[in-house]
Structures are given as C-alpha cells and as structure tokens.
Amino acid sequence: MLLEPTRPWRRVVAEYLGSLLLAAIVIGSGIAAQNLSPHAIGLELLENAAATGVGLYFLIVTFGPISGAHFNPIISFVDALFAGISWRSAWGYLGAQLAGCVSGAVVANLMYSRTAVSLSTDHRGTLAHGFSEVIATAGLVLVVFALAKTQRSSLAPAAVGSYIACAYFFASSTSFANPAIVVGRMFSKSFAGIAPTSAPLFVGAEIVGGTVAVGLIKLLFGDLNARDASTVTVAHEARPSEEPV
C-alpha cells in the first residue's frame, strides 16, 4: 500500500540524513578495515563491502517510507523521468544527497581522530574503472526499478544492499554507482577515498550507466507508470503532484 504524501522538507531531510549515514558507513568502515587488517587489501575490501551492504539495508528500511531512500542522484532523476517523483523533488534530493555525503565524510574522519577534511590521493581514473562504473550503476538502477515495476519493492533493502556488496568485488571500480558518494569520498584520504581528478570520470560513467538502465527498463518492462515508480525504493508518496507544503 502506498503511503500518504510526506511534506517535501521532511523528504529532503531524510535524504540528507540517509546520505550522511551512508557516506559515514562507507568511509568509516574503510578506515576501520585499514586499521584492523593492514596490508590485507582483499580482507579490507570484504570488511568494507559487508558493512556497506548491511548499512544500506537498515538505511532503506529506516528512511524509505519518508523519501523513498534514494541517497543517489541517478536513482532520483531516473525516478523523476518515470514520474515517480517530481523534477522539483529530484533537484531537492540532489542537493541533500551531495551535502549529506560530504557531511558523512567529515563525520567518518572525525570518528577516527583524523582531519575533518582531507582530500584523497587514491587515483582510480582508468578506462576500466569508468567502464565498471557504467556496468555497476546500470545494474543498480535496473534492480531497483525492476522491483518497483513488478511490485516487489519490499525486497529493495535486501536486494540493494546485497547487490552493492557483490559489486564491490565484480567491478574493478569497487562500485561507487552514485555521484553523491563520489563527491563525498573525495574528502577522505583513506581506503575508501577517490582523488578529485578521478571523480569526473566516475560521475560521467554513472550518468551513462543510468541512461543505459533506462533503455533496458523500457526494453524489458515497457514503460513504468507513475504509481509503479513512486514505490522506488520504498513506497513513500501516493502521487508526485500531491506535495503538501
């Protein structure tokens, strides 16, 4: 059952807090993995992936009924394309997601007694990394919208968490699949960071991945109606046009 519309400012706050916690989980678990398993990169990645996958589950469960728990501009703008949310909401989500991920990076750094802001020097700007981000992002969007189209959005917390944990390993980029996370991870010189010079490639590849996913969704499922799209990632508003002030 779809929920009654939530006030726009509450949805934006939910996206900010969810994005903050997501970035804090991704970066904080990366720093912890470095401390707990120094020089064991495979184990560090496993620890980072496990924390992120579990974290996504409870973040979607917690914030999904309020905002849909996108935490990702690609998901938000594809949702707006299918009329699941308004374009106005998508732009509001974008600002909240970017601010949240940057704030989450600062929180993670401070939790480990590091400088609040430290630019990453981890260069990931190869063509293989870019191609991996196209694949990882397209897969993520396809999973989310396939569940919405087939009225199985209740599975999204587990599906999204497990997909991202899996993609940490099958994608050479370790599957950022989220422009807001790319921006946030620039501000932590840690295992989970990305150098600012590599960020444009990742963001561009993620936009391409989202575009590819839209084509695949239409090919596989036809078009999504607004009611289906409004359940991405969790049912959170009855109609995109019904936005109380």
Side-chain angles (χ1 to χ4, degrees):
M1 177 182 291
L2 295 179
L3 303 181
E4 290 299 315
T6 303
R7 294 182 183 277
W9 68 266
R10 287 200 175 105
R11 297 204 298 270
V12 170
V13 170
E15 285 296 300
Y16 171 77
L17 291 174
S19 298
L20 184 157
L21 289 171
L22 176 59
I25 290 166
V26 172
I27 296 170
S29 64
I31 297 171
Q34 277 184 304
N35 294 341
L36 294 171
S37 310
H39 311 300
I41 296 177
L43 185 55
E44 290 173 1
L45 184 61
L46 177 60
E47 293 162 351
N48 195 199
T52 302
V54 173
L56 277 166
Y57 181 91
F58 76 72
L59 289 176
I60 294 171
V61 168
T62 301
F63 296 104
I66 303 171
S67 69
H70 293 177
F71 315 140
N72 186 333
I74 300 296
I75 298 294
S76 297
F77 279 91
V78 173
D79 201 15
L81 182 66
F82 287 118
I85 62 173
S86 68
W87 287 104
R88 177 183 174 186
S89 292
W91 284 107
Y93 279 19
L94 172 63
Q97 291 155 357
L98 290 171
C101 285
V102 172
S103 300
V106 172
V107 167
N109 290 335
L110 292 176
M111 284 195 296
Y112 285 91
S113 299
R114 298 189 171 204
T115 304
V117 174
S118 57
L119 291 180
S120 174
T121 56
D122 192 348
H123 295 281
R124 305 172 185 253
T126 69
L127 289 178
H129 287 136
F131 182 59
S132 293
E133 280 301 289
V134 172
I135 300 300
T137 305
L140 173 62
V141 176
L142 185 59
V143 166
V144 169
F145 284 85
L147 291 175
K149 177 64 178 178
T150 56
Q151 299 179 357
R152 294 179 298 158
S153 288
S154 61
L155 298 176
V160 171
S162 57
Y163 174 83
I164 290 297
C166 173
Y168 262 66
F169 286 90
F170 79 68
S172 65
S173 61
T174 67
S175 182
F176 287 47
N178 181 340
I181 278 289
V182 172
V183 173
R185 288 167 73 163
M186 291 191 306
F187 294 96
S188 181
K189 190 175 181 180
S190 67
F191 176 78
I194 180 172
T197 53
S198 299
L201 172 67
F202 271 56
V203 172
E206 288 155 2
I207 292 171
V208 172
T211 303
V212 169
V214 169
L216 290 174
I217 292 163
K218 291 183 176 181
L219 176 66
L220 295 171
F221 300 105
D223 215 353
L224 270 75
N225 59 43
R227 185 178 180 84
D228 289 334
S230 69
T231 66
V232 173
T233 307
V234 175
H236 54 283
E237 58 180 309
R239 288 290 185 275
S241 59
E242 297 175 5
E243 295 194 353
V245 295

